[in-house]
Amino acid sequence: MPSVLIVGAGFGGIAAAVELRRAGLTDVTVLERSSTLGGVWRDNTYPGAGCDIPSPYYSFSFEPNDAWPLRFSLGPEIMTYLARTAKKYGVAPRYGVTVTGAEFRAGQWHVSTSQGSHVADVLVPAVGQLSEPHLPTLPGTFEGPAFHSARWDHSVPLTGRRVAVIGTGASAAQFVPHVVRQAAEVTVFQRSAPYVLPKPDVEYRRWQHHMFPLERALFWGVGEVAALGIQGNRPVAKAVAALARHHLRRQVADPRLRRALTPDYPIGCKRVLFANDYYPALTQAHVRLSTDGIATLTPKGVRTRAGTEHEADVLIYGTGFRTTDFLSTLTVRGREADLSQTWSDGATAYLGMTVPGFPNMFLMYGPNTNLGSGSIVYMLERQARYLRQAVALLAEGKSTLDVRPEMATAFDREMRQRLADSAWAGCRSWYRTESGRVTNNWPGMVSEYDRRTRTLSPSDYVVTS
Ligand code: NAP
């Protein structure tokens, strides 16, 4: 039986390990640098951290949770679900082990870690796309406490203090209302206005738990229709943009603030947010929205390009993640090259999972597998299924599977073409590299990904016995 080493115990790593365990594979090791599983759900402890994909859909198909309390679960609930699932399927990650590198040598992966080395037949990097915080390099120094949303410093009191927030993405939209409730003054520095939609949250009644399969199917369908909008379907995009405008009009009366909160790029280009309390928070008397652009940090706050210094006691970065630096925390060496060299023009992988010259390596949540709508858990399940088939082939006596370069090149060409026509091509976002390549997102519907990854075709690979 092949041995499998999985790097990371977030949703991706757990999805992979559970799938292999369910298929009867026993030699599966999960290494996790942190002290618990959970990935982004462990790291993001900011107030209000939760999922804006409905929980019946943001869960494994084989492990429905009959008792989600809210349609849009909060982080701790999701962590509990993931931990319970891992335990049920006998997945016990080894914690506090940081993988620093992996090299394919003599037909196996030689993996170096902070706790020694491992050898495995199959390597599964599952380190996520949103695990390394992005801290902008702004000139100047702020002397007060400062932290990133994914490294929330709960020891810093916010009550009665002046708080500056940089960034207005999905994280900020969730924590800003909580900060506004505590702080004496809040200044939110917005570089681009997000599109915000109403969040149809509900506290589930008991009888609704029986409806979860229906909800799952319904939100799957909603995600698929929304994906059409991102792919350029005008009526869908127009309808969603109209709903966002309506939400803004209903929640923000002040025309100046409304103007400042109106996005100036096509809908879908950046991630659309779902929030009922974000706009109302910004209308509070003690909250300011600054759109002048940040010139510099100062010891006492933030100075804008208009020359105004906004004093603050605490600075919070809601500035996102180093998303296009796939696998940047480890050095991966294939047959002939390092992955960083192979990906010098941006990360790419066949079906988001395999890279020529890196045999028996299967990525979870790799390049071009993120979604603008829909559940990542659904995608991860498809990747785990594909991985399971690869491992089954190896178990039959094959020794390596190396994706054919022509398959990977054709796939990459297709991705580039389709993404160039999508809404994501229209603005700066965490989906794109500096040079404008969309390396993170899947350009189609999830049903297409499901279909294309359902059966691993050995002819796509150079298979050695
Ligand atoms: P993000 O979407 O990348 O947002 C970062 C924000 O920081 C943007 O508003 C960005 O402005 C701003 N920013 C970055 N650098 C800046 C600079 N130098 N000066 C001024 N502003 C700057 O990050 P995020 O909010 O952490 O969310 C990341 C992703 O995590 C989401 O898109 C989503 O996929 C996931 N997430 C999901 C949920 C959920 O409910 N499922 C919740 C939270 C996060 P620009 O837009 O102008 O670049």
Side-chain angles (χ1 to χ4, degrees):
M1 277 288 191
S3 55
V4 181
L5 190 138
I6 299 170
V7 186
F11 255 97
I14 299 298
V18 167
E19 178 80 16
L20 297 176
R21 298 277 312 182
R22 291 177 79 213
L25 208 81
T26 47
D27 197 349
V28 180
T29 305
V30 184
L31 301 181
E32 165 58 51
R33 66 181 175 182
S34 189
S35 57
T36 53
L37 52 66
V40 291
W41 298 110
R42 175 203 56 229
D43 291 345
N44 286 273
T45 62
Y46 61 76
C51 188
D52 58 13
I53 302 297
S55 295
Y57 186 24
Y58 195 87
S59 32
F60 296 116
S61 60
F62 58 85
E63 191 58 27
N65 177 5
D66 296 337
W68 290 116
L70 297 171
R71 178 174 286 150
F72 296 97
S73 290
L74 297 174
E77 201 67 48
I78 299 170
M79 282 284 284
T80 305
Y81 167 77
L82 192 62
R84 200 173 51 223
T85 304
K87 190 163 176 212
K88 177 170 170 183
Y89 293 95
V91 175
R94 287 186 48 199
Y95 295 112
V97 185
T98 303
V99 174
T100 51
E103 187 178 352
F104 189 77
R105 211 179 332 122
Q108 285 190 304
W109 283 99
H110 296 255
V111 176
S112 32
T113 80
S114 56
Q115 313 271 325
S117 53
H118 289 258
V119 179
D121 299 311
V122 177
L123 176 69
V124 182
V127 298
Q129 293 191 9
L130 300 158
S131 40
E132 298 301 312
H134 160 68
L135 284 169
T137 42
L138 296 166
T141 310
F142 174 66
E143 281 178 355
F147 52 84
H148 186 273
S149 55
R151 301 286 183 269
W152 197 271
D153 187 343
H154 293 275
S155 71
V156 176
L158 301 178
T159 306
R161 303 183 84 186
R162 299 168 303 174
V163 180
V165 174
I166 303 180
T168 55
S171 301
Q174 291 185 335
F175 71 72
V176 162
H178 291 262
V179 172
V180 162
R181 258 176 248 138
Q182 294 174 50
E185 264 178 41
V186 179
T187 309
V188 176
F189 294 90
Q190 173 188 278
R191 189 165 66 177
S192 325
Y195 282 91
V196 184
L197 293 175
K199 187 170 172 178
D201 206 358
V202 289
E203 219 170 287
Y204 286 123
R205 304 273 182 83
R206 244 199 145 94
W207 63 267
Q208 285 173 301
H209 291 173
H210 304 295
M211 311 293 279
F212 282 0
L214 201 66
E215 280 222 13
R216 184 178 167 92
L218 173 73
F219 286 110
W220 176 88
V222 169
E224 292 294 72
V225 173
L228 283 180
I230 292 168
Q231 288 162 42
N233 181 300
R234 285 270 180 85
V236 172
K238 272 176 82 172
V240 182
L243 181 59
R245 274 198 304 277
H246 173 72
H247 190 48
L248 176 59
R249 263 200 313 276
R250 223 167 52 90
Q251 293 202 313
V252 179
D254 173 6
R256 270 185 61 188
L257 181 59
R258 210 188 266 171
R259 217 171 306 125
L261 288 168
T262 302
D264 61 357
Y265 54 87
I267 191 155
C269 182
K270 291 174 195 277
R271 194 173 187 283
V272 174
L273 313 184
F274 295 85
N276 301 328
D277 52 358
Y278 179 61
Y279 286 149
L282 297 179
T283 64
Q284 305 290 302
H286 64 296
V287 180
R288 258 187 316 243
L289 181 75
S290 169
T291 56
D292 292 335
I294 298 171
T296 180
L297 301 180
T298 67
K300 288 202 160 65
V302 179
R303 180 171 296 121
T304 65
R305 289 206 211 105
T308 313
E309 182 177 18
H310 296 272
E311 291 197 357
D313 304 308
V314 182
L315 175 59
I316 305 175
Y317 292 95
T319 46
F321 299 87
R322 287 171 38 210
T323 51
T324 53
D325 299 346
F326 285 84
L327 265 65
S328 64
T329 53
L330 51 152
T331 309
V332 182
R333 181 149 189 92
R335 278 193 207 282
E336 285 165 8
D338 282 0
L339 203 47
S340 58
Q341 293 167 313
T342 308
W343 283 349
S344 57
D345 184 33
T348 170
Y350 180 59
L351 298 171
M353 290 182 275
T354 50
V355 184
F358 294 80
N360 294 357
M361 179 179 85
F362 297 85
L363 303 164
M364 297 295 292
Y365 198 19
N368 297 113
T369 62
N370 182 58
L371 302 172
S373 61
S375 170
I376 285 303
V377 179
Y378 181 94
M379 298 291 275
L380 295 173
E381 243 184 279
R382 269 77 209 151
Q383 289 151 28
R385 178 179 64 186
Y386 193 88
L387 164 71
R388 190 236 306 142
Q389 294 174 55
V391 174
L393 268 176
L394 297 173
E396 284 171 14
K398 313 290 181 222
S399 72
T400 54
L401 292 176
D402 193 355
V403 67
R404 293 185 183 279
E406 62 273 24
M407 295 304 298
T409 304
F411 182 79
D412 185 43
R413 196 177 312 124
E414 178 201 336
M415 292 295 106
R416 289 189 198 221
Q417 269 166 10
R418 290 174 64 178
L419 288 161
D421 292 336
S422 72
W424 295 313
C427 71
R428 173 188 54 211
S429 73
W430 69 258
Y431 311 138
R432 301 198 335 176
T433 61
E434 291 280 313
S435 66
R437 260 187 80 182
V438 180
T439 51
N440 293 61
N441 288 3
W442 172 245
M445 294 162 108
V446 297
S447 45
E448 181 193 340
Y449 192 76
D450 175 50
R451 182 172 46 74
R452 292 178 68 172
T453 57
R454 188 167 299 153
T455 310
L456 185 153
S457 169
S459 61
D460 292 351
Y461 289 81
V462 177
V463 184
T464 53
S465 298

